[in-house]
Amino acid sequence: MTEFQTPEFLTPEECAAVDQALLSSRDKFSTRVAIYSLRSLKQIAQDTGQPIEQIATAEVAEWVRQDRTNQADLEIDAGFIRFFTQLVLSSLKPLRQLAEQEQVAIAELQPEQIIAWFEQVAKQRIEQESR
């Protein structure tokens, strides 16, 4: 079993780090989804042999369809596959922004960087709203 094939969406340490972050519940959810999506995208990249930046929607959908961790507890249908695929793909926007800011490939990002980025964005949003 590789480090990416884990039955948990996030490790207990990642969950604790997100819980301790200075974020709203909505931002904590987005952070968790981004961390999980990064893990999923790394697995898809490993399986397909291509960089995360080149992964197509169909490849994410196929991975969701084939992922045994989802099938263990959930009934997989076309609606779920579309939903979960969009969930993973929606995280590409913040992951791209963070990777650009850090001047690294998306695959090189770490959960700590994702958490810090979401905190930074939330702080900027609060500052703009208070003006």
Side-chain angles (χ1 to χ4, degrees), residues 9-53:
F9 285 103
L10 269 65
T11 66
E13 296 80 15
E14 291 166 343
C15 287
V18 172
D19 286 342
Q20 293 173 1
L22 299 174
L23 295 167
S24 67
S25 295
R26 179 180 177 211
D27 289 332
K28 285 181 182 184
F29 175 77
S30 296
T31 304
R32 286 183 177 96
V33 169
I35 293 168
Y36 174 74
S37 294
L38 177 61
R39 180 175 293 116
S40 301
L41 290 163
K42 284 181 178 181
Q43 183 64 50
I44 296 166
Q46 180 181 357
D47 292 349
T48 63
Q50 61 186 340
I52 289 172
E53 293 80 1

Side-chain angles (χ1 to χ4, degrees), residues 63-131:
W63 181 82
V64 171
R65 188 177 294 105
Q66 300 290 328
D67 185 29
R68 298 290 175 227
T69 60
N70 290 332
Q71 294 177 6
D73 298 324
L74 301 169
E75 182 178 323
I76 304 296
D77 64 8
F80 175 82
I81 291 169
R82 277 191 307 276
F83 166 75
F84 215 77
T85 299
Q86 284 308 118
L87 197 64
V88 171
L89 292 173
S90 70
S91 292
L92 273 173
K93 181 179 178 181
L95 292 172
R96 280 187 182 114
Q97 291 172 347
L98 173 56
E100 184 177 309
Q101 177 182 311
E102 297 292 321
Q103 299 182 341
V104 298
I106 293 172
E108 294 177 35
L109 295 173
Q110 299 298 314
E112 303 80 27
Q113 292 172 297
I114 295 170
I115 295 167
W117 185 84
F118 273 95
E119 283 182 313
Q120 176 188 10
V121 169
K123 182 180 177 184
Q124 289 171 349
R125 186 177 60 243
I126 290 168
E127 287 172 357
Q128 287 177 349
E129 291 172 357
S130 67
R131 291 183 190 163

